[in-house]
Amino acid sequence: QVQLVESGGGSVQAGGSLRLSCTAFGYTHSMNCMGWFRQVPGKEREGVASFDSDGRASYEFSLKGRFTISKDNAKNTLYLQMNNLEPEDAAMYYCAAEGPAIATMTQDPTCYGRDYWGKGTLVTISS
């Protein structure tokens, strides 16, 4: 049974930084085929960053340079470092493993698996 648990969200001023964490219980793929997504109420879910089956990182183009995805296999934890946050970054951030969303974002069909999601962590930005 795979369970993904996000943490690290909160309220930060514009220009500030946050680091999100996603601990994966029962996931045994070196934290590959995992990634971060975000969603604002009333809008479609957006891919943020991910690792493919070989551990290569990919980013939503507009976020590259401000956001960095990383992982600690020993801790079974995926991270998202977010710097220079803007009001438009406010959203619920979700961690995901395998599944169509990951396969699409990574352009890696081998990531098309069981489709696991966490419950999300909320990021709010004050200007």
mmCIF file of all heavy atoms in Angstrom, residues 83-101:
data_model
loop_
_atom_site.group_PDB
_atom_site.id
_atom_site.type_symbol
_atom_site.label_atom_id
_atom_site.label_comp_id
_atom_site.label_asym_id
_atom_site.label_seq_id
_atom_site.Cartn_x
_atom_site.Cartn_y
_atom_site.Cartn_z
ATOM 1 N N ASN A 83 11.597 29.208 -4.572
ATOM 2 C CA ASN A 83 12.215 30.488 -4.240
ATOM 3 C C ASN A 83 11.538 31.635 -4.987
ATOM 4 O O ASN A 83 10.864 31.419 -6.001
ATOM 5 C CB ASN A 83 13.704 30.455 -4.606
ATOM 6 C CG ASN A 83 14.478 29.432 -3.814
ATOM 7 O OD1 ASN A 83 14.172 29.146 -2.660
ATOM 8 N ND2 ASN A 83 15.520 28.879 -4.432
ATOM 9 N N ASN A 84 11.724 32.830 -4.467
ATOM 10 C CA ASN A 84 11.176 34.033 -5.104
ATOM 11 C C ASN A 84 9.695 33.829 -5.441
ATOM 12 O O ASN A 84 9.259 34.049 -6.574
ATOM 13 C CB ASN A 84 11.977 34.375 -6.358
ATOM 14 C CG ASN A 84 11.701 35.761 -6.864
ATOM 15 O OD1 ASN A 84 11.201 36.613 -6.117
ATOM 16 N ND2 ASN A 84 11.978 35.997 -8.135
ATOM 17 N N LEU A 85 8.947 33.416 -4.450
ATOM 18 C CA LEU A 85 7.534 33.078 -4.678
ATOM 19 C C LEU A 85 6.731 34.299 -5.078
ATOM 20 O O LEU A 85 6.951 35.414 -4.579
ATOM 21 C CB LEU A 85 6.955 32.438 -3.425
ATOM 22 C CG LEU A 85 7.401 30.977 -3.233
ATOM 23 C CD1 LEU A 85 7.195 30.542 -1.790
ATOM 24 C CD2 LEU A 85 6.635 30.071 -4.179
ATOM 25 N N GLU A 86 5.810 34.061 -5.980
ATOM 26 C CA GLU A 86 4.931 35.106 -6.506
ATOM 27 C C GLU A 86 3.502 34.803 -6.094
ATOM 28 O O GLU A 86 3.162 33.648 -5.814
ATOM 29 C CB GLU A 86 5.054 35.141 -8.029
ATOM 30 C CG GLU A 86 6.472 35.374 -8.524
ATOM 31 C CD GLU A 86 6.609 35.187 -10.023
ATOM 32 O OE1 GLU A 86 5.625 34.761 -10.674
ATOM 33 O OE2 GLU A 86 7.706 35.472 -10.552
ATOM 34 N N PRO A 87 2.647 35.827 -6.064
ATOM 35 C CA PRO A 87 1.244 35.573 -5.698
ATOM 36 C C PRO A 87 0.591 34.473 -6.542
ATOM 37 O O PRO A 87 -0.247 33.723 -6.038
ATOM 38 C CB PRO A 87 0.578 36.932 -5.945
ATOM 39 C CG PRO A 87 1.671 37.918 -5.707
ATOM 40 C CD PRO A 87 2.929 37.256 -6.239
ATOM 41 N N GLU A 88 1.024 34.357 -7.803
ATOM 42 C CA GLU A 88 0.447 33.346 -8.698
ATOM 43 C C GLU A 88 0.856 31.926 -8.322
ATOM 44 O O GLU A 88 0.301 30.962 -8.856
ATOM 45 C CB GLU A 88 0.866 33.618 -10.146
ATOM 46 C CG GLU A 88 0.330 34.912 -10.737
ATOM 47 C CD GLU A 88 1.008 36.163 -10.206
ATOM 48 O OE1 GLU A 88 2.167 36.055 -9.712
ATOM 49 O OE2 GLU A 88 0.394 37.240 -10.242
ATOM 50 N N ASP A 89 1.817 31.777 -7.410
ATOM 51 C CA ASP A 89 2.231 30.443 -6.977
ATOM 52 C C ASP A 89 1.328 29.881 -5.886
ATOM 53 O O ASP A 89 1.477 28.710 -5.503
ATOM 54 C CB ASP A 89 3.676 30.489 -6.453
ATOM 55 C CG ASP A 89 4.680 30.844 -7.532
ATOM 56 O OD1 ASP A 89 4.542 30.339 -8.669
ATOM 57 O OD2 ASP A 89 5.596 31.638 -7.240
ATOM 58 N N ALA A 90 0.434 30.688 -5.354
ATOM 59 C CA ALA A 90 -0.476 30.212 -4.322
ATOM 60 C C ALA A 90 -1.373 29.110 -4.879
ATOM 61 O O ALA A 90 -2.003 29.292 -5.934
ATOM 62 C CB ALA A 90 -1.325 31.357 -3.799
ATOM 63 N N ALA A 91 -1.394 27.967 -4.204
ATOM 64 C CA ALA A 91 -2.167 26.823 -4.699
ATOM 65 C C ALA A 91 -2.083 25.698 -3.675
ATOM 66 O O ALA A 91 -1.304 25.768 -2.712
ATOM 67 C CB ALA A 91 -1.604 26.331 -6.036
ATOM 68 N N MET A 92 -2.863 24.668 -3.910
ATOM 69 C CA MET A 92 -2.661 23.407 -3.199
ATOM 70 C C MET A 92 -1.634 22.619 -4.003
ATOM 71 O O MET A 92 -1.804 22.451 -5.231
ATOM 72 C CB MET A 92 -3.958 22.631 -3.107
ATOM 73 C CG MET A 92 -3.847 21.363 -2.267
ATOM 74 S SD MET A 92 -3.666 21.721 -0.508
ATOM 75 C CE MET A 92 -5.375 21.995 -0.076
ATOM 76 N N TYR A 93 -0.593 22.174 -3.339
ATOM 77 C CA TYR A 93 0.467 21.422 -3.999
ATOM 78 C C TYR A 93 0.333 19.945 -3.646
ATOM 79 O O TYR A 93 0.228 19.588 -2.468
ATOM 80 C CB TYR A 93 1.839 21.959 -3.578
ATOM 81 C CG TYR A 93 2.190 23.253 -4.257
ATOM 82 C CD1 TYR A 93 1.570 24.435 -3.908
ATOM 83 C CD2 TYR A 93 3.136 23.286 -5.279
ATOM 84 C CE1 TYR A 93 1.868 25.633 -4.547
ATOM 85 C CE2 TYR A 93 3.457 24.469 -5.932
ATOM 86 C CZ TYR A 93 2.820 25.636 -5.556
ATOM 87 O OH TYR A 93 3.122 26.814 -6.199
ATOM 88 N N TYR A 94 0.363 19.118 -4.690
ATOM 89 C CA TYR A 94 0.186 17.688 -4.525
ATOM 90 C C TYR A 94 1.432 16.943 -4.983
ATOM 91 O O TYR A 94 2.058 17.301 -5.991
ATOM 92 C CB TYR A 94 -0.994 17.187 -5.357
ATOM 93 C CG TYR A 94 -2.320 17.761 -4.956
ATOM 94 C CD1 TYR A 94 -2.834 18.895 -5.586
ATOM 95 C CD2 TYR A 94 -3.086 17.156 -3.958
ATOM 96 C CE1 TYR A 94 -4.057 19.423 -5.215
ATOM 97 C CE2 TYR A 94 -4.317 17.673 -3.587
ATOM 98 C CZ TYR A 94 -4.790 18.806 -4.215
ATOM 99 O OH TYR A 94 -6.012 19.324 -3.851
ATOM 100 N N CYS A 95 1.724 15.873 -4.283
ATOM 101 C CA CYS A 95 2.768 14.934 -4.665
ATOM 102 C C CYS A 95 2.093 13.748 -5.350
ATOM 103 O O CYS A 95 1.020 13.319 -4.923
ATOM 104 C CB CYS A 95 3.506 14.496 -3.401
ATOM 105 S SG CYS A 95 4.714 13.200 -3.600
ATOM 106 N N ALA A 96 2.713 13.247 -6.397
ATOM 107 C CA ALA A 96 2.156 12.109 -7.119
ATOM 108 C C ALA A 96 3.253 11.128 -7.492
ATOM 109 O O ALA A 96 4.423 11.509 -7.669
ATOM 110 C CB ALA A 96 1.438 12.590 -8.379
ATOM 111 N N ALA A 97 2.855 9.883 -7.634
ATOM 112 C CA ALA A 97 3.782 8.838 -8.067
ATOM 113 C C ALA A 97 3.105 7.996 -9.140
ATOM 114 O O ALA A 97 1.947 7.597 -8.988
ATOM 115 C CB ALA A 97 4.194 7.964 -6.889
ATOM 116 N N GLU A 98 3.830 7.734 -10.220
ATOM 117 C CA GLU A 98 3.347 6.953 -11.363
ATOM 118 C C GLU A 98 2.064 7.575 -11.913
ATOM 119 O O GLU A 98 1.696 8.691 -11.574
ATOM 120 C CB GLU A 98 3.142 5.494 -10.946
ATOM 121 C CG GLU A 98 4.412 4.843 -10.407
ATOM 122 C CD GLU A 98 4.225 3.392 -10.018
ATOM 123 O OE1 GLU A 98 3.081 2.921 -9.882
ATOM 124 O OE2 GLU A 98 5.250 2.716 -9.861
ATOM 125 N N GLY A 99 1.392 6.866 -12.768
ATOM 126 C CA GLY A 99 0.117 7.333 -13.294
ATOM 127 C C GLY A 99 0.232 8.218 -14.525
ATOM 128 O O GLY A 99 1.320 8.629 -14.923
ATOM 129 N N PRO A 100 -0.897 8.524 -15.127
ATOM 130 C CA PRO A 100 -0.903 9.274 -16.392
ATOM 131 C C PRO A 100 -0.356 10.682 -16.274
ATOM 132 O O PRO A 100 0.291 11.176 -17.212
ATOM 133 C CB PRO A 100 -2.388 9.274 -16.786
ATOM 134 C CG PRO A 100 -3.136 8.903 -15.562
ATOM 135 C CD PRO A 100 -2.227 8.072 -14.735
ATOM 136 N N ALA A 101 -0.608 11.359 -15.167
ATOM 137 C CA ALA A 101 -0.103 12.730 -15.026
ATOM 138 C C ALA A 101 1.419 12.749 -14.995
ATOM 139 O O ALA A 101 2.054 13.609 -15.632
ATOM 140 C CB ALA A 101 -0.673 13.381 -13.777
#
